[in-house]
Amino acid sequence: MQLSELGGSEGLEHNPTLNRESMVALGAFGALTAGAVFLNSRSTREAVQQGWYKRLKKPSFQPPRQAFAPVWTALYGLIAVSGWRIWGSPAGAQRSRALGLWFVQLGLNAAWSHLFFRKRQLKAAAVENWVLLGSIAAYTAAASRVDRKSPWLMAPYLGWVSFANVLSTDIARLNP
């Protein structure tokens, strides 16, 4: 598979010897993102199976439960590709900063589910969600200085987490 088939990274397209390394890196970014998915799904499944989440009061604009898996699947794919594109950009301080922020936002993403579903700390999860949103915005801004396409890959995630902030904050308010 060629990089051009995956939307390519301009820095990698000019060096064909990096194609194999690039595919390994894409797999690594996918695996790191899958790790966050695994942690999130473990916490979520437990709370849902125990009925705790179902008993929470939720706002009227809460999406149906079936919407979350396909939305998050797509978002996690975009997150992984965005990080991979930054990794494939020329080395430098801007790239290092963007990659660091990519890891921060992914860690905060996993932490939210742990706080909300496993620890059942709704207010702390709502606050953490705002921090997550800030980290996504910071990563997106840093990525825009390294690669033209990466920030656009993050736009749906930024939008969804913005919505999730409103949702999480309202759930915390409704369930003191």
Side-chain angles (χ1 to χ4, degrees), residues 5-166:
E5 295 175 62
L6 293 172
S9 179
E10 287 78 14
L12 295 175
E13 288 174 346
H14 300 306
N15 189 344
T17 62
L18 290 178
N19 280 334
R20 185 174 320 180
E21 183 181 336
S22 178
M23 292 299 105
V24 169
L26 180 57
F29 277 93
L32 289 166
T33 305
V37 171
F38 174 76
L39 293 173
N40 287 341
S41 66
R42 238 178 105 194
S43 296
T44 304
R45 185 178 19 224
E46 216 172 82
V48 169
Q49 286 174 347
Q50 294 172 354
W52 172 79
Y53 182 73
K54 190 175 184 174
R55 291 189 298 271
L56 287 176
K57 294 176 191 164
K58 296 173 201 74
S60 60
F61 56 88
Q62 166 86 21
R65 196 175 117 200
Q66 300 82 357
F68 288 91
V71 167
W72 277 111
T73 299
L75 294 175
Y76 281 125
L78 293 171
I79 292 165
V81 171
S82 178
W84 168 73
R85 288 184 60 84
I86 295 301
W87 172 85
S89 298
Q94 294 288 352
R95 182 184 89 159
S96 295
R97 175 173 164 67
L99 284 173
L101 288 166
W102 185 88
F103 282 101
V104 167
Q105 66 76 29
L106 190 64
L108 288 168
N109 179 293
W112 182 86
S113 290
H114 181 75
L115 279 172
F116 187 90
F117 290 108
R118 183 157 292 190
K119 295 291 185 180
R120 300 177 182 177
Q121 295 179 4
L122 302 180
K123 288 180 182 162
V127 169
E128 194 275 354
N129 210 356
W130 287 100
V131 176
L132 170 60
L133 181 62
S135 74
I136 298 166
Y139 165 73
T140 303
S144 73
R145 292 187 277 285
V146 177
D147 176 68
R148 286 189 333 252
K149 294 178 183 173
S150 290
W152 292 106
L153 294 169
M154 296 300 283
Y157 179 41
L158 198 53
W160 182 260
V161 172
S162 296
F163 170 71
N165 273 318
V166 174

